[in-house]
């Protein structure tokens, strides 16, 4: 997929080293239980490849034209936990800090939403994060998603400060309402 400033593409071997570094950055992983080891990042790339094979969509590697061949990922995934809104498809993003606050996640997420609705024929796409992840919530809002509810992430233990999450969602008809005529 191509946008004005980005290329969203499948992963290659050269992405692994910068992805390992990305996942070791405490700022990037601030709203996750921990940073990832090299082995965990390598396994995640493998899981992303498997997800693409299984569903035809996944987390695309993000290239920023004229800047970097790998800035992180933006994409769609099938959450593996059970909650009141599952089964569902989520949109998610993770970029390296030098590329934050320049509208890249929003630009890529628009293309990913279009892929989900137009190519995969999805009816609804959700997103979730911890309440304090303002940047991620802003991206959700900027791509037209609406706050739905709070939930406790079942993958995290009771009383974990990251357990409480906010859920956002957008339907195809809502996305269509945002399109220029
Ligand atoms: C979430 C993330 C992908 C956003 O990427 P990005 O390219 O910086 O996003 P954008 O530039 O498109 O939009 C970010 C918005 O958040 C706002 N923002 C960022 N930090 C903020 C803060 N601390 N307080 C208020 N607003 C903030 C920006 O101003 C911008 O909004 P605006 O356009 O209205 O000014 C990036 O911060 C990231 O990778 N974070 C770590 C991983 C992560 O948390 N992923 C999400 C897990 S669900």
């Amino acid at each position: 997929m191509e946008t004005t400033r980005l290329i969203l593409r499948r992963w290659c071997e050269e992405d692994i080293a910068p992805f390992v570094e990305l996942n070791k950055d405490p700022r990037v992983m601030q709203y996750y239980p921990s940073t990832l080891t090299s082995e965990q990042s390598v396994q995640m790339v493998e899981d992303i490849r498997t997800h693409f094979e299984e569903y035809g969509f996944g987390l695309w590697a993000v290239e920023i034209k004229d800047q970097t061949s790998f800035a992180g990922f933006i994409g769609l995934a099938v959450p593996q936990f059970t909650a009141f809104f599952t089964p569902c498809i989520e949109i998610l993003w993770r970029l390296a800090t030098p590329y934050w606050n320049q509208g890249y996640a929003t630009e890529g997420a628009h293309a990913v939403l279009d892929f989900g609705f137009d190519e995969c024929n999805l009816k609804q796409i959700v997103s979730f994060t911890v309440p304090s992840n303002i940047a991620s919530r802003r991206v959700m809002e900027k791509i037209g998603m609406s706050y739905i509810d709070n939930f406790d992430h079942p993958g995290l233990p009771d009383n974990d400060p990251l357990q409480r999450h906010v859920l956002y969602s957008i339907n195809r008809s809502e996305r269509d309402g945002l399109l220029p005529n």
Side-chain angles (χ1 to χ4, degrees):
M1 276 182 280
E2 188 168 356
T3 69
T4 308
R5 298 180 295 168
L6 307 176
I7 294 170
L8 305 189
R9 55 164 178 76
R10 296 288 294 271
W11 294 62
C12 59
E13 288 308 301
E14 290 72 26
D15 299 330
I16 292 178
F19 190 52
V20 165
E21 289 313 306
L22 174 75
N23 291 326
K24 284 186 175 169
D25 183 339
R27 280 184 70 198
V28 172
M29 301 306 281
Q30 185 183 355
Y31 302 107
Y32 292 87
S34 65
T35 54
L36 299 186
T37 63
S38 306
E39 293 72 23
Q40 286 171 318
S41 290
V42 169
Q43 183 60 51
M44 190 171 168
V45 174
E46 207 40 54
D47 293 344
I48 291 169
R49 287 196 178 120
T50 307
H51 192 288
F52 269 108
E53 301 310 323
E54 193 169 345
Y55 297 102
F57 57 78
L59 305 180
W60 284 274
V62 176
E63 243 179 78
I64 305 177
K65 295 176 193 174
D66 303 327
Q67 269 206 64
T68 181
S69 56
F70 183 82
F73 66 71
I74 304 172
L76 299 169
V78 180
Q80 296 304 309
F81 61 84
T82 303
F84 74 89
F85 55 90
T86 63
C88 65
I89 312 290
E90 66 164 322
I91 183 166
L92 65 162
W93 32 69
R94 187 181 302 171
L95 299 179
T97 55
Y99 312 109
W100 286 6
N101 295 326
Q102 296 162 70
Y104 290 130
T106 304
E107 184 172 323
H110 272 297
V112 168
L113 275 191
D114 288 347
F115 186 93
F117 288 130
D118 300 334
E119 307 297 326
C120 307
N121 214 20
L122 303 177
K123 290 186 173 49
Q124 184 189 45
I125 295 174
V126 306
S127 195
F128 44 84
T129 188
V130 295
S132 54
N133 192 344
I134 303 297
S136 197
R137 296 181 71 166
R138 273 299 294 147
V139 176
M140 294 172 198
E141 288 160 5
K142 287 196 289 179
I143 62 173
M145 302 188 94
S146 304
Y147 167 77
I148 302 295
D149 208 345
N150 293 338
F151 72 101
D152 287 331
H153 197 301
L156 291 161
D158 284 348
N159 301 323
D160 188 303
L162 296 177
Q163 191 189 36
R164 180 46 60 104
H165 274 57
V166 284
L167 174 71
Y168 284 70
S169 146
I170 185 168
N171 298 327
R172 190 168 13 175
S173 55
E174 291 168 332
R175 189 286 311 257
D176 290 345
L178 298 171
L179 292 176
N181 290 322

